[in-house]
């Protein structure tokens, strides 16, 4: 087993589509329209310091994968460095679940966040992942996410 940084655009696109299919039952026609947008996004961000993808590999097979977006904002007393992380696309493929790969992946992402001196990591937890995140030290925060759809 090895932890690997993923920079291959094709693998990143496939990992994102796999996550969306697992998480929201992505329709095939929607999947086709996302491919070009995902390729553009990953080509732009994979070389920047605002995106990171790690995968747990088992014999050249990606068994678990996660993305971290890295944001820089003006520092404050709550965010002294002005740098935070947001986890998304955390996926352990179904046939590899319940084997500890999610914990291994999350530990590696947290270690990378510490190495990058981020002040904290946010995520939106699914019911399936919530127990793991709590076990790893994530807590709910006293604010609620709000959104304005444009």
């Amino acid at each position: 087993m090895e932890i690997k940084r993923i920079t291959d655009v094709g693998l990143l696109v496939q990992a994102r589509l796999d996550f969306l299919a697992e998480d929201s039952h992505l329709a095939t026609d929607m999947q086709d329209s996302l491919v070009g947008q995902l390729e553009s996004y990953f080509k732009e961000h994979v070389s920047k310091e605002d995106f990171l993808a790690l995968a747990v590999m088992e014999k050249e097979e990606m068994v678990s994968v996660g993305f971290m977006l890295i944001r820089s904002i003006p520092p404050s007393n709550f965010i002294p460095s002005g740098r935070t992380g947001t986890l998304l696309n955390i996926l352990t493929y179904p046939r590899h679940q319940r084997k500890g790969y999610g914990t291994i992946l999350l530990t590696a992402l947290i270690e990378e966040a510490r190495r990058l001196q981020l002040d904290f990591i946010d995520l939106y937890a699914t019911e399936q992942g919530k127990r793991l995140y709590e076990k790893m030290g994530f807590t709910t925060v006293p604010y609620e996410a709000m959104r304005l759809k444009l």
Side-chain angles (χ1 to χ4, degrees), residues 1-3 55-58 63-65 90-108 131-132 135-136:
M1 188 247 346
E2 112 183 84
I3 307 291
V56 178
M57 306 294 289
E58 196 63 70
V63 298
S64 191
V65 62
I90 305 297
L91 171 68
T92 299
Y93 287 91
R95 70 188 195 110
H96 298 287
Q97 292 175 358
R98 321 273 328 138
K99 298 178 183 176
Y101 292 121
T103 301
I104 292 166
L105 174 67
L106 200 52
T107 299
R131 205 170 85 225
L132 170 62
K135 182 179 96 174
M136 299 296 294

PDB file of all heavy atoms in Angstrom, residues 1-3 55-58 63-65 90-108 131-132 135-136:
ATOM      1  N   MET A   1       0.833  -1.169   0.000  1.00  0.00           N
ATOM      2  CA  MET A   1       0.000   0.000   0.000  1.00  0.00           C
ATOM      3  C   MET A   1       0.884   1.241   0.000  1.00  0.00           C
ATOM      4  O   MET A   1       1.895   1.278   0.678  1.00  0.00           O
ATOM      5  CB  MET A   1      -0.890  -0.035   1.247  1.00  0.00           C
ATOM      6  CG  MET A   1      -1.931   1.010   1.279  1.00  0.00           C
ATOM      7  SD  MET A   1      -1.836   2.322   2.517  1.00  0.00           S
ATOM      8  CE  MET A   1      -0.699   1.861   3.720  1.00  0.00           C
ATOM      9  N   GLU A   2       0.492   2.225  -0.794  1.00  0.00           N
ATOM     10  CA  GLU A   2       1.252   3.479  -0.841  1.00  0.00           C
ATOM     11  C   GLU A   2       0.293   4.652  -0.986  1.00  0.00           C
ATOM     12  O   GLU A   2      -0.794   4.519  -1.552  1.00  0.00           O
ATOM     13  CB  GLU A   2       2.289   3.416  -1.970  1.00  0.00           C
ATOM     14  CG  GLU A   2       2.060   4.319  -3.130  1.00  0.00           C
ATOM     15  CD  GLU A   2       3.063   4.182  -4.266  1.00  0.00           C
ATOM     16  OE1 GLU A   2       2.879   3.289  -5.104  1.00  0.00           O
ATOM     17  OE2 GLU A   2       3.989   5.001  -4.319  1.00  0.00           O
ATOM     18  N   ILE A   3       0.702   5.797  -0.449  1.00  0.00           N
ATOM     19  CA  ILE A   3      -0.034   7.054  -0.616  1.00  0.00           C
ATOM     20  C   ILE A   3       0.641   7.792  -1.760  1.00  0.00           C
ATOM     21  O   ILE A   3       1.854   7.968  -1.761  1.00  0.00           O
ATOM     22  CB  ILE A   3       0.034   7.940   0.647  1.00  0.00           C
ATOM     23  CG1 ILE A   3      -0.410   7.182   1.886  1.00  0.00           C
ATOM     24  CG2 ILE A   3      -0.760   9.221   0.434  1.00  0.00           C
ATOM     25  CD1 ILE A   3      -1.849   6.834   1.938  1.00  0.00           C
ATOM     26  N   ALA A  55      -4.143   9.718  -3.115  1.00  0.00           N
ATOM     27  CA  ALA A  55      -4.825   8.436  -3.275  1.00  0.00           C
ATOM     28  C   ALA A  55      -4.076   7.356  -2.517  1.00  0.00           C
ATOM     29  O   ALA A  55      -2.853   7.400  -2.398  1.00  0.00           O
ATOM     30  CB  ALA A  55      -4.924   8.056  -4.752  1.00  0.00           C
ATOM     31  N   VAL A  56      -4.825   6.407  -2.005  1.00  0.00           N
ATOM     32  CA  VAL A  56      -4.251   5.194  -1.444  1.00  0.00           C
ATOM     33  C   VAL A  56      -4.231   4.186  -2.592  1.00  0.00           C
ATOM     34  O   VAL A  56      -5.262   3.918  -3.216  1.00  0.00           O
ATOM     35  CB  VAL A  56      -5.084   4.645  -0.265  1.00  0.00           C
ATOM     36  CG1 VAL A  56      -4.479   3.363   0.267  1.00  0.00           C
ATOM     37  CG2 VAL A  56      -5.195   5.692   0.833  1.00  0.00           C
ATOM     38  N   MET A  57      -3.034   3.692  -2.885  1.00  0.00           N
ATOM     39  CA  MET A  57      -2.848   2.750  -3.992  1.00  0.00           C
ATOM     40  C   MET A  57      -2.535   1.365  -3.428  1.00  0.00           C
ATOM     41  O   MET A  57      -1.753   1.236  -2.487  1.00  0.00           O
ATOM     42  CB  MET A  57      -1.705   3.210  -4.898  1.00  0.00           C
ATOM     43  CG  MET A  57      -1.825   4.633  -5.417  1.00  0.00           C
ATOM     44  SD  MET A  57      -3.213   4.899  -6.523  1.00  0.00           S
ATOM     45  CE  MET A  57      -2.663   4.004  -7.961  1.00  0.00           C
ATOM     46  N   GLU A  58      -3.150   0.383  -4.010  1.00  0.00           N
ATOM     47  CA  GLU A  58      -2.898  -1.003  -3.650  1.00  0.00           C
ATOM     48  C   GLU A  58      -2.618  -1.746  -4.951  1.00  0.00           C
ATOM     49  O   GLU A  58      -3.504  -1.913  -5.780  1.00  0.00           O
ATOM     50  CB  GLU A  58      -4.125  -1.566  -2.925  1.00  0.00           C
ATOM     51  CG  GLU A  58      -3.937  -2.840  -2.147  1.00  0.00           C
ATOM     52  CD  GLU A  58      -2.956  -2.727  -0.992  1.00  0.00           C
ATOM     53  OE1 GLU A  58      -3.257  -2.055   0.008  1.00  0.00           O
ATOM     54  OE2 GLU A  58      -1.876  -3.324  -1.105  1.00  0.00           O
ATOM     55  N   VAL A  63      -7.563   2.788  -4.554  1.00  0.00           N
ATOM     56  CA  VAL A  63      -8.635   2.224  -3.731  1.00  0.00           C
ATOM     57  C   VAL A  63      -9.369   3.292  -2.922  1.00  0.00           C
ATOM     58  O   VAL A  63     -10.507   3.093  -2.512  1.00  0.00           O
ATOM     59  CB  VAL A  63      -8.116   1.100  -2.798  1.00  0.00           C
ATOM     60  CG1 VAL A  63      -7.560  -0.053  -3.620  1.00  0.00           C
ATOM     61  CG2 VAL A  63      -7.085   1.602  -1.811  1.00  0.00           C
ATOM     62  N   SER A  64      -8.717   4.428  -2.692  1.00  0.00           N
ATOM     63  CA  SER A  64      -9.321   5.530  -1.960  1.00  0.00           C
ATOM     64  C   SER A  64      -8.679   6.813  -2.467  1.00  0.00           C
ATOM     65  O   SER A  64      -7.480   6.842  -2.742  1.00  0.00           O
ATOM     66  CB  SER A  64      -9.084   5.347  -0.455  1.00  0.00           C
ATOM     67  OG  SER A  64      -9.843   6.241   0.301  1.00  0.00           O
ATOM     68  N   VAL A  65      -9.478   7.876  -2.595  1.00  0.00           N
ATOM     69  CA  VAL A  65      -8.971   9.123  -3.153  1.00  0.00           C
ATOM     70  C   VAL A  65      -9.665  10.295  -2.476  1.00  0.00           C
ATOM     71  O   VAL A  65     -10.822  10.181  -2.055  1.00  0.00           O
ATOM     72  CB  VAL A  65      -9.162   9.166  -4.691  1.00  0.00           C
ATOM     73  CG1 VAL A  65     -10.629   9.098  -5.076  1.00  0.00           C
ATOM     74  CG2 VAL A  65      -8.492  10.376  -5.312  1.00  0.00           C
ATOM     75  N   ILE A  90     -13.974  12.775  -1.099  1.00  0.00           N
ATOM     76  CA  ILE A  90     -13.406  11.685  -0.318  1.00  0.00           C
ATOM     77  C   ILE A  90     -14.163  10.421  -0.697  1.00  0.00           C
ATOM     78  O   ILE A  90     -15.370  10.310  -0.474  1.00  0.00           O
ATOM     79  CB  ILE A  90     -13.527  11.959   1.199  1.00  0.00           C
ATOM     80  CG1 ILE A  90     -12.891  13.293   1.576  1.00  0.00           C
ATOM     81  CG2 ILE A  90     -12.943  10.799   1.998  1.00  0.00           C
ATOM     82  CD1 ILE A  90     -11.404  13.385   1.335  1.00  0.00           C
ATOM     83  N   LEU A  91     -13.456   9.482  -1.299  1.00  0.00           N
ATOM     84  CA  LEU A  91     -14.098   8.273  -1.812  1.00  0.00           C
ATOM     85  C   LEU A  91     -13.207   7.059  -1.581  1.00  0.00           C
ATOM     86  O   LEU A  91     -12.025   7.075  -1.939  1.00  0.00           O
ATOM     87  CB  LEU A  91     -14.355   8.424  -3.320  1.00  0.00           C
ATOM     88  CG  LEU A  91     -14.834   7.190  -4.072  1.00  0.00           C
ATOM     89  CD1 LEU A  91     -16.244   6.790  -3.643  1.00  0.00           C
ATOM     90  CD2 LEU A  91     -14.794   7.423  -5.580  1.00  0.00           C
ATOM     91  N   THR A  92     -13.775   6.049  -0.975  1.00  0.00           N
ATOM     92  CA  THR A  92     -13.163   4.721  -0.974  1.00  0.00           C
ATOM     93  C   THR A  92     -14.077   3.864  -1.830  1.00  0.00           C
ATOM     94  O   THR A  92     -15.289   3.811  -1.591  1.00  0.00           O
ATOM     95  CB  THR A  92     -13.034   4.147   0.450  1.00  0.00           C
ATOM     96  OG1 THR A  92     -12.193   5.017   1.214  1.00  0.00           O
ATOM     97  CG2 THR A  92     -12.420   2.752   0.421  1.00  0.00           C
ATOM     98  N   TYR A  93     -13.511   3.245  -2.839  1.00  0.00           N
ATOM     99  CA  TYR A  93     -14.323   2.454  -3.761  1.00  0.00           C
ATOM    100  C   TYR A  93     -15.012   1.328  -3.002  1.00  0.00           C
ATOM    101  O   TYR A  93     -14.426   0.727  -2.089  1.00  0.00           O
ATOM    102  CB  TYR A  93     -13.459   1.946  -4.911  1.00  0.00           C
ATOM    103  CG  TYR A  93     -13.096   3.062  -5.864  1.00  0.00           C
ATOM    104  CD1 TYR A  93     -11.931   3.805  -5.693  1.00  0.00           C
ATOM    105  CD2 TYR A  93     -13.958   3.413  -6.902  1.00  0.00           C
ATOM    106  CE1 TYR A  93     -11.614   4.852  -6.549  1.00  0.00           C
ATOM    107  CE2 TYR A  93     -13.651   4.465  -7.765  1.00  0.00           C
ATOM    108  CZ  TYR A  93     -12.481   5.174  -7.577  1.00  0.00           C
ATOM    109  OH  TYR A  93     -12.177   6.217  -8.419  1.00  0.00           O
ATOM    110  N   PRO A  94     -16.268   1.058  -3.348  1.00  0.00           N
ATOM    111  CA  PRO A  94     -17.096   0.128  -2.561  1.00  0.00           C
ATOM    112  C   PRO A  94     -16.443  -1.212  -2.209  1.00  0.00           C
ATOM    113  O   PRO A  94     -16.552  -1.665  -1.076  1.00  0.00           O
ATOM    114  CB  PRO A  94     -18.335  -0.076  -3.441  1.00  0.00           C
ATOM    115  CG  PRO A  94     -18.458   1.218  -4.178  1.00  0.00           C
ATOM    116  CD  PRO A  94     -17.033   1.647  -4.454  1.00  0.00           C
ATOM    117  N   ARG A  95     -15.741  -1.816  -3.122  1.00  0.00           N
ATOM    118  CA  ARG A  95     -15.170  -3.132  -2.800  1.00  0.00           C
ATOM    119  C   ARG A  95     -13.967  -3.054  -1.857  1.00  0.00           C
ATOM    120  O   ARG A  95     -13.476  -4.071  -1.389  1.00  0.00           O
ATOM    121  CB  ARG A  95     -14.843  -3.917  -4.065  1.00  0.00           C
ATOM    122  CG  ARG A  95     -13.695  -3.394  -4.863  1.00  0.00           C
ATOM    123  CD  ARG A  95     -13.579  -4.123  -6.200  1.00  0.00           C
ATOM    124  NE  ARG A  95     -12.289  -3.870  -6.784  1.00  0.00           N
ATOM    125  CZ  ARG A  95     -11.350  -4.773  -6.900  1.00  0.00           C
ATOM    126  NH1 ARG A  95     -11.545  -6.008  -6.510  1.00  0.00           N
ATOM    127  NH2 ARG A  95     -10.190  -4.459  -7.443  1.00  0.00           N
ATOM    128  N   HIS A  96     -13.527  -1.823  -1.552  1.00  0.00           N
ATOM    129  CA  HIS A  96     -12.392  -1.634  -0.637  1.00  0.00           C
ATOM    130  C   HIS A  96     -12.807  -0.982   0.684  1.00  0.00           C
ATOM    131  O   HIS A  96     -11.954  -0.688   1.519  1.00  0.00           O
ATOM    132  CB  HIS A  96     -11.307  -0.790  -1.313  1.00  0.00           C
ATOM    133  CG  HIS A  96     -10.743  -1.440  -2.531  1.00  0.00           C
ATOM    134  ND1 HIS A  96      -9.892  -2.520  -2.479  1.00  0.00           N
ATOM    135  CD2 HIS A  96     -10.936  -1.177  -3.847  1.00  0.00           C
ATOM    136  CE1 HIS A  96      -9.569  -2.893  -3.705  1.00  0.00           C
ATOM    137  NE2 HIS A  96     -10.194  -2.088  -4.553  1.00  0.00           N
ATOM    138  N   GLN A  97     -14.094  -0.745   0.853  1.00  0.00           N
ATOM    139  CA  GLN A  97     -14.569  -0.115   2.074  1.00  0.00           C
ATOM    140  C   GLN A  97     -14.454  -1.060   3.263  1.00  0.00           C
ATOM    141  O   GLN A  97     -14.388  -2.274   3.102  1.00  0.00           O
ATOM    142  CB  GLN A  97     -16.019   0.359   1.896  1.00  0.00           C
ATOM    143  CG  GLN A  97     -16.126   1.505   0.919  1.00  0.00           C
ATOM    144  CD  GLN A  97     -17.554   1.923   0.629  1.00  0.00           C
ATOM    145  OE1 GLN A  97     -18.516   1.343   1.113  1.00  0.00           O
ATOM    146  NE2 GLN A  97     -17.702   2.954  -0.204  1.00  0.00           N
ATOM    147  N   ARG A  98     -14.403  -0.464   4.456  1.00  0.00           N
ATOM    148  CA  ARG A  98     -14.326  -1.194   5.723  1.00  0.00           C
ATOM    149  C   ARG A  98     -13.007  -1.938   5.898  1.00  0.00           C
ATOM    150  O   ARG A  98     -12.929  -2.934   6.584  1.00  0.00           O
ATOM    151  CB  ARG A  98     -15.495  -2.171   5.911  1.00  0.00           C
ATOM    152  CG  ARG A  98     -16.825  -1.692   5.444  1.00  0.00           C
ATOM    153  CD  ARG A  98     -17.751  -0.901   6.258  1.00  0.00           C
ATOM    154  NE  ARG A  98     -17.897  -0.982   7.664  1.00  0.00           N
ATOM    155  CZ  ARG A  98     -18.032   0.097   8.416  1.00  0.00           C
ATOM    156  NH1 ARG A  98     -17.941   1.286   7.879  1.00  0.00           N
ATOM    157  NH2 ARG A  98     -18.242   0.007   9.695  1.00  0.00           N
ATOM    158  N   LYS A  99     -11.947  -1.410   5.245  1.00  0.00           N
ATOM    159  CA  LYS A  99     -10.617  -2.010   5.360  1.00  0.00           C
ATOM    160  C   LYS A  99      -9.593  -1.022   5.906  1.00  0.00           C
ATOM    161  O   LYS A  99      -8.405  -1.305   5.915  1.00  0.00           O
ATOM    162  CB  LYS A  99     -10.145  -2.533   3.999  1.00  0.00           C
ATOM    163  CG  LYS A  99     -11.022  -3.637   3.431  1.00  0.00           C
ATOM    164  CD  LYS A  99     -10.537  -4.087   2.064  1.00  0.00           C
ATOM    165  CE  LYS A  99     -11.458  -5.139   1.484  1.00  0.00           C
ATOM    166  NZ  LYS A  99     -11.052  -5.530   0.120  1.00  0.00           N
ATOM    167  N   GLY A 100     -10.041   0.167   6.309  1.00  0.00           N
ATOM    168  CA  GLY A 100      -9.151   1.158   6.889  1.00  0.00           C
ATOM    169  C   GLY A 100      -8.539   2.131   5.892  1.00  0.00           C
ATOM    170  O   GLY A 100      -7.783   3.017   6.283  1.00  0.00           O
ATOM    171  N   TYR A 101      -8.869   2.002   4.611  1.00  0.00           N
ATOM    172  CA  TYR A 101      -8.271   2.886   3.607  1.00  0.00           C
ATOM    173  C   TYR A 101      -8.713   4.337   3.784  1.00  0.00           C
ATOM    174  O   TYR A 101      -7.932   5.264   3.568  1.00  0.00           O
ATOM    175  CB  TYR A 101      -8.597   2.414   2.196  1.00  0.00           C
ATOM    176  CG  TYR A 101      -7.941   1.118   1.823  1.00  0.00           C
ATOM    177  CD1 TYR A 101      -8.703   0.011   1.436  1.00  0.00           C
ATOM    178  CD2 TYR A 101      -6.552   0.979   1.840  1.00  0.00           C
ATOM    179  CE1 TYR A 101      -8.094  -1.185   1.088  1.00  0.00           C
ATOM    180  CE2 TYR A 101      -5.944  -0.217   1.505  1.00  0.00           C
ATOM    181  CZ  TYR A 101      -6.722  -1.293   1.121  1.00  0.00           C
ATOM    182  OH  TYR A 101      -6.114  -2.482   0.775  1.00  0.00           O
ATOM    183  N   GLY A 102      -9.974   4.567   4.172  1.00  0.00           N
ATOM    184  CA  GLY A 102     -10.452   5.929   4.396  1.00  0.00           C
ATOM    185  C   GLY A 102      -9.677   6.616   5.512  1.00  0.00           C
ATOM    186  O   GLY A 102      -9.318   7.790   5.404  1.00  0.00           O
ATOM    187  N   THR A 103      -9.390   5.877   6.578  1.00  0.00           N
ATOM    188  CA  THR A 103      -8.611   6.423   7.690  1.00  0.00           C
ATOM    189  C   THR A 103      -7.194   6.752   7.244  1.00  0.00           C
ATOM    190  O   THR A 103      -6.652   7.815   7.587  1.00  0.00           O
ATOM    191  CB  THR A 103      -8.585   5.423   8.864  1.00  0.00           C
ATOM    192  OG1 THR A 103      -9.930   5.176   9.286  1.00  0.00           O
ATOM    193  CG2 THR A 103      -7.773   5.958  10.032  1.00  0.00           C
ATOM    194  N   ILE A 104      -6.603   5.874   6.467  1.00  0.00           N
ATOM    195  CA  ILE A 104      -5.248   6.098   5.951  1.00  0.00           C
ATOM    196  C   ILE A 104      -5.221   7.351   5.075  1.00  0.00           C
ATOM    197  O   ILE A 104      -4.342   8.206   5.209  1.00  0.00           O
ATOM    198  CB  ILE A 104      -4.746   4.865   5.175  1.00  0.00           C
ATOM    199  CG1 ILE A 104      -4.536   3.694   6.141  1.00  0.00           C
ATOM    200  CG2 ILE A 104      -3.484   5.172   4.385  1.00  0.00           C
ATOM    201  CD1 ILE A 104      -4.379   2.341   5.458  1.00  0.00           C
ATOM    202  N   LEU A 105      -6.202   7.479   4.188  1.00  0.00           N
ATOM    203  CA  LEU A 105      -6.285   8.641   3.299  1.00  0.00           C
ATOM    204  C   LEU A 105      -6.481   9.931   4.097  1.00  0.00           C
ATOM    205  O   LEU A 105      -5.769  10.917   3.882  1.00  0.00           O
ATOM    206  CB  LEU A 105      -7.431   8.466   2.303  1.00  0.00           C
ATOM    207  CG  LEU A 105      -7.720   9.670   1.414  1.00  0.00           C
ATOM    208  CD1 LEU A 105      -6.567   9.918   0.444  1.00  0.00           C
ATOM    209  CD2 LEU A 105      -9.027   9.484   0.671  1.00  0.00           C
ATOM    210  N   LEU A 106      -7.421   9.915   5.009  1.00  0.00           N
ATOM    211  CA  LEU A 106      -7.705  11.112   5.795  1.00  0.00           C
ATOM    212  C   LEU A 106      -6.500  11.521   6.636  1.00  0.00           C
ATOM    213  O   LEU A 106      -6.177  12.712   6.734  1.00  0.00           O
ATOM    214  CB  LEU A 106      -8.926  10.862   6.675  1.00  0.00           C
ATOM    215  CG  LEU A 106      -9.655  12.074   7.206  1.00  0.00           C
ATOM    216  CD1 LEU A 106     -10.010  13.062   6.110  1.00  0.00           C
ATOM    217  CD2 LEU A 106     -10.904  11.644   7.950  1.00  0.00           C
ATOM    218  N   THR A 107      -5.801  10.560   7.209  1.00  0.00           N
ATOM    219  CA  THR A 107      -4.588  10.846   7.984  1.00  0.00           C
ATOM    220  C   THR A 107      -3.546  11.523   7.105  1.00  0.00           C
ATOM    221  O   THR A 107      -2.916  12.510   7.511  1.00  0.00           O
ATOM    222  CB  THR A 107      -4.023   9.542   8.592  1.00  0.00           C
ATOM    223  OG1 THR A 107      -5.004   8.986   9.470  1.00  0.00           O
ATOM    224  CG2 THR A 107      -2.736   9.799   9.355  1.00  0.00           C
ATOM    225  N   ALA A 108      -3.366  11.026   5.884  1.00  0.00           N
ATOM    226  CA  ALA A 108      -2.388  11.619   4.958  1.00  0.00           C
ATOM    227  C   ALA A 108      -2.789  13.046   4.570  1.00  0.00           C
ATOM    228  O   ALA A 108      -1.933  13.936   4.486  1.00  0.00           O
ATOM    229  CB  ALA A 108      -2.239  10.740   3.716  1.00  0.00           C
ATOM    230  N   ARG A 131     -19.043   9.410  10.814  1.00  0.00           N
ATOM    231  CA  ARG A 131     -18.417   8.712  11.940  1.00  0.00           C
ATOM    232  C   ARG A 131     -16.896   8.710  11.831  1.00  0.00           C
ATOM    233  O   ARG A 131     -16.188   8.936  12.801  1.00  0.00           O
ATOM    234  CB  ARG A 131     -18.973   7.285  12.046  1.00  0.00           C
ATOM    235  CG  ARG A 131     -18.861   6.731  13.450  1.00  0.00           C
ATOM    236  CD  ARG A 131     -19.609   5.433  13.631  1.00  0.00           C
ATOM    237  NE  ARG A 131     -18.735   4.347  13.208  1.00  0.00           N
ATOM    238  CZ  ARG A 131     -19.093   3.342  12.446  1.00  0.00           C
ATOM    239  NH1 ARG A 131     -20.314   3.233  12.012  1.00  0.00           N
ATOM    240  NH2 ARG A 131     -18.239   2.421  12.093  1.00  0.00           N
ATOM    241  N   LEU A 132     -16.382   8.476  10.622  1.00  0.00           N
ATOM    242  CA  LEU A 132     -14.937   8.498  10.407  1.00  0.00           C
ATOM    243  C   LEU A 132     -14.374   9.889  10.695  1.00  0.00           C
ATOM    244  O   LEU A 132     -13.364  10.028  11.383  1.00  0.00           O
ATOM    245  CB  LEU A 132     -14.584   8.080   8.973  1.00  0.00           C
ATOM    246  CG  LEU A 132     -13.127   8.300   8.550  1.00  0.00           C
ATOM    247  CD1 LEU A 132     -12.176   7.473   9.411  1.00  0.00           C
ATOM    248  CD2 LEU A 132     -12.957   7.977   7.069  1.00  0.00           C
ATOM    249  N   LYS A 135     -14.221  10.518  14.336  1.00  0.00           N
ATOM    250  CA  LYS A 135     -13.146   9.713  14.919  1.00  0.00           C
ATOM    251  C   LYS A 135     -11.782  10.378  14.692  1.00  0.00           C
ATOM    252  O   LYS A 135     -10.889  10.299  15.527  1.00  0.00           O
ATOM    253  CB  LYS A 135     -13.155   8.306  14.300  1.00  0.00           C
ATOM    254  CG  LYS A 135     -12.105   7.363  14.863  1.00  0.00           C
ATOM    255  CD  LYS A 135     -12.193   6.008  14.213  1.00  0.00           C
ATOM    256  CE  LYS A 135     -11.197   5.957  13.088  1.00  0.00           C
ATOM    257  NZ  LYS A 135     -11.049   4.670  12.450  1.00  0.00           N
ATOM    258  N   MET A 136     -11.638  11.072  13.574  1.00  0.00           N
ATOM    259  CA  MET A 136     -10.375  11.725  13.232  1.00  0.00           C
ATOM    260  C   MET A 136     -10.248  13.113  13.844  1.00  0.00           C
ATOM    261  O   MET A 136      -9.256  13.801  13.617  1.00  0.00           O
ATOM    262  CB  MET A 136     -10.222  11.811  11.709  1.00  0.00           C
ATOM    263  CG  MET A 136     -10.190  10.462  11.006  1.00  0.00           C
ATOM    264  SD  MET A 136      -8.777   9.455  11.450  1.00  0.00           S
ATOM    265  CE  MET A 136      -7.444  10.403  10.770  1.00  0.00           C
TER     266      MET A 136
END
